[in-house]
């Protein structure tokens, strides 16, 4: 079991903090809580406080056992957390999805799932549950190919219901985040090219017609992480709350043996106005929610009906780990 410290955010920025971009687009509707705050208080002077949080739990050893996406499975409860995780493997026979059960005081139980209904994807980098459809998920590859999945009754296999490509995907893009939010007029999807060092990450948002696997007109905004500073992927995952609050993780990756470093930010908000236009607002100064040294966070999820978040890491040769923390991105 790997131990690390969770560095809580400085006192929260005012909700009226300036925004980097507010962009809108209009798309046709599909036919047919208060913003999160830092999980631990900081000193009034603004200095960060070091807080010991629950330890990371290993969920696999080696480069094929990292966690590149995470979603919460139905049936999770106070004494048990069930997760579905994506793995960015590329070769035939390597695992793409796994179910993980976490219990207090027990080692994680990890069970690989079979992939059915299509050729196994190459380089899955993001995963989210479909709101209002228990057992259905969207997984996204680094190239921008999305897979609409449904788990079978005993959660031993994932069946492909359909595929799509995110709008505007280019050969040099590298997508590492995808999230869904149920808002007026239906589903809104948010996806992100990770960026790298001097090139910022790019957030995209659009309405998603899941029946047709098509998107409305997307809006975009750039995002730069203040930290980490070197070998940085500005966006390594995204999560959207029911209210539209947009949180991102950022990570430093200097190679398969590390060292790694990560941070989580309140990046802004995605909403749909009364006319059906998607609006993407990104903070000029992202609000830091936590720093996590020694790990490369690539997966974020919120536990339903709680303020607890699940973080997942792809630590390359060191394998993968998960951690449940209070507050933070949720």
């Amino acid at each position: 079991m790997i131990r690390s410290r969770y560095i809580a955010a400085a006192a929260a920025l005012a909700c009226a903090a300036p925004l980097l971009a507010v962009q809108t687009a209009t798309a046709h509707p599909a036919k047919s809580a208060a913003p999160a705050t830092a999980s631990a208080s900081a000193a009034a002077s603004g200095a960060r406080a070091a807080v010991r949080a629950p330890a990371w739990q290993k969920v696999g050893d080696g480069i094929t056992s990292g966690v590149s996406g995470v979603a919460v499975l139905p049936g999770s409860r106070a004494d048990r957390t069930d997760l579905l995780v994506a793995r960015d493997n590329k070769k035939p026979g390597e695992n793409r999805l796994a179910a993980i059960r976490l219990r207090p005081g027990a080692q994680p139980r990890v069970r690989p799932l079979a992939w059915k209904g299509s050729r196994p994807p190459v380089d899955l980098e993001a995963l989210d549950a479909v709101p209002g459809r228990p057992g259905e998920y969207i997984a996204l590859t680094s190239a921008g190919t999305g897979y609409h999945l449904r788990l079978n009754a005993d959660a031993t296999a994932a069946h492909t219901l359909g595929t799509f490509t995110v709008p505007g995907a280019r050969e040099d893009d590298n997508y590492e985040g995808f999230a869904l939010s149920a808002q007026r007029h239906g589903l809104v999807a948010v996806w992100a090219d990770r960026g790298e060092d001097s090139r910022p990450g790019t957030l995209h948002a659009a309405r998603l017609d899941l029946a047709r696997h098509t998107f409305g007109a997307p809006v975009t905004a750039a995002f730069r992480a203040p930290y980490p500073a070197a070998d940085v992927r500005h966006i390594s995952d995204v999560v959207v709350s029911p209210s539209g609050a947009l949180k991102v993780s950022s990570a430093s990756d200097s190679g398969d043996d590390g060292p790694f470093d990560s941070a989580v930010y309140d990046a802004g908000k995605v909403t749909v106005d009364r006319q059906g236009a998607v609006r993407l607002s990104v903070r000029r100064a992202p609000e830091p929610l936590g720093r996590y040294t020694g790990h490369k966070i690539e997966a974020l999820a919120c536990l339903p009906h709680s303020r607890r978040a699940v973080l997942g890491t792809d630590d390359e040769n060191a394998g993968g780990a998960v951690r449940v923390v209070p507050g933070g991105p949720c």
Side-chain angles (χ1 to χ4, degrees), residues 36-106:
T37 58
S39 62
S41 59
S45 63
R48 291 186 181 87
V51 178
R52 184 176 295 278
W56 294 97
Q57 295 181 278
K58 287 293 293 288
V59 294
D61 295 309
I63 202 165
T64 62
S65 297
V67 175
S68 59
V70 64
V72 181
L73 288 168
S76 294
R77 55 191 192 223
D79 64 339
R80 185 184 77 198
T81 301
D82 290 318
L83 305 173
L84 180 68
V85 301
R87 288 178 167 155
D88 63 356
N89 293 322
K90 304 169 182 64
K91 297 178 181 179
E94 293 178 338
N95 178 229
R96 266 57 171 186
L97 296 171
I100 296 174
R101 173 163 291 180
L102 305 178
R103 286 184 179 275

Side-chain angles (χ1 to χ4, degrees), residues 107-171:
Q107 292 296 314
R109 289 173 51 191
V110 181
R111 177 169 46 85
L113 272 65
W115 188 279
K116 304 286 187 180
S118 68
R119 179 177 296 180
V122 173
D123 201 20
L124 282 181
E125 289 289 353
L127 180 70
D128 201 12
V130 178
R133 297 195 182 190
E136 293 189 21
Y137 303 85
I138 299 291
L140 189 74
T141 71
S142 61
T145 301
Y147 292 81
H148 181 193
L149 306 172
R150 178 185 292 144
L151 301 191
N152 61 359
D154 56 359
T156 58
H159 296 260
T160 302
L161 302 178
T163 63
F164 58 82
T165 300
V166 295
R170 301 175 303 181
E171 187 174 352

Side-chain angles (χ1 to χ4, degrees):
M1 184 175 294
I2 302 176
R3 294 277 179 183
S4 70
R5 287 188 177 269
Y6 166 42
I7 308 301
L13 298 177
C15 293
L19 300 176
L20 172 65
V22 178
Q23 306 179 48
T24 64
T26 302
H28 298 292
K31 297 180 181 180
S32 5
T37 58
S39 62
S41 59
S45 63
R48 291 186 181 87
V51 178
R52 184 176 295 278
W56 294 97
Q57 295 181 278
K58 287 293 293 288
V59 294
D61 295 309
I63 202 165
T64 62
S65 297
V67 175
S68 59
V70 64
V72 181
L73 288 168
S76 294
R77 55 191 192 223
D79 64 339
R80 185 184 77 198
T81 301
D82 290 318
L83 305 173
L84 180 68
V85 301
R87 288 178 167 155
D88 63 356
N89 293 322
K90 304 169 182 64
K91 297 178 181 179
E94 293 178 338
N95 178 229
R96 266 57 171 186
L97 296 171
I100 296 174
R101 173 163 291 180
L102 305 178
R103 286 184 179 275
Q107 292 296 314
R109 289 173 51 191
V110 181
R111 177 169 46 85
L113 272 65
W115 188 279
K116 304 286 187 180
S118 68
R119 179 177 296 180
V122 173
D123 201 20
L124 282 181
E125 289 289 353
L127 180 70
D128 201 12
V130 178
R133 297 195 182 190
E136 293 189 21
Y137 303 85
I138 299 291
L140 189 74
T141 71
S142 61
T145 301
Y147 292 81
H148 181 193
L149 306 172
R150 178 185 292 144
L151 301 191
N152 61 359
D154 56 359
T156 58
H159 296 260
T160 302
L161 302 178
T163 63
F164 58 82
T165 300
V166 295
R170 301 175 303 181
E171 187 174 352
D172 59 347
D173 287 339
N174 200 323
Y175 296 101
E176 288 208 352
F178 187 92
L180 294 169
S181 175
Q183 301 196 24
R184 67 174 80 208
H185 302 290
L187 285 178
V188 174
V190 177
W191 64 99
D193 167 60
R194 73 189 190 188
E196 187 172 3
D197 293 330
S198 62
R199 182 172 69 88
T202 304
L203 290 158
H204 308 262
R207 287 186 294 184
L208 172 62
D209 182 340
L210 199 58
R212 297 175 175 85
H213 298 114
T214 58
F215 292 81
V219 292
T220 65
F223 177 86
R224 288 184 183 273
Y227 178 90
D231 302 307
V232 63
R233 299 175 179 181
H234 295 280
I235 304 172
S236 60
D237 200 12
V238 299
V239 65
V240 181
S241 75
S243 68
L246 177 63
K247 315 298 172 66
V248 308
S249 58
S250 305
S252 175
D253 181 358
S254 59
D256 288 347
D257 293 314
F260 304 117
D261 206 358
S262 301
V264 179
Y265 295 97
D266 182 339
K269 197 161 189 175
V270 59
T271 57
V272 178
D273 66 21
R274 292 185 178 182
Q275 287 71 46
V278 175
R279 302 180 67 87
L280 178 61
S281 305
V282 176
R283 293 179 181 271
R284 178 176 290 115
E287 178 185 341
L289 301 176
R291 290 185 180 183
Y292 301 84
T293 59
H295 292 278
K296 180 162 62 92
I297 294 175
E298 290 198 4
L300 300 174
C302 293
L303 294 177
H305 314 297
S306 88
R307 294 293 303 278
R308 295 187 300 157
V310 179
L311 312 178
T313 77
D314 182 356
D315 296 328
E316 303 298 342
N317 286 335
V322 297
R323 179 174 180 174
V324 178
V325 298
C330 301

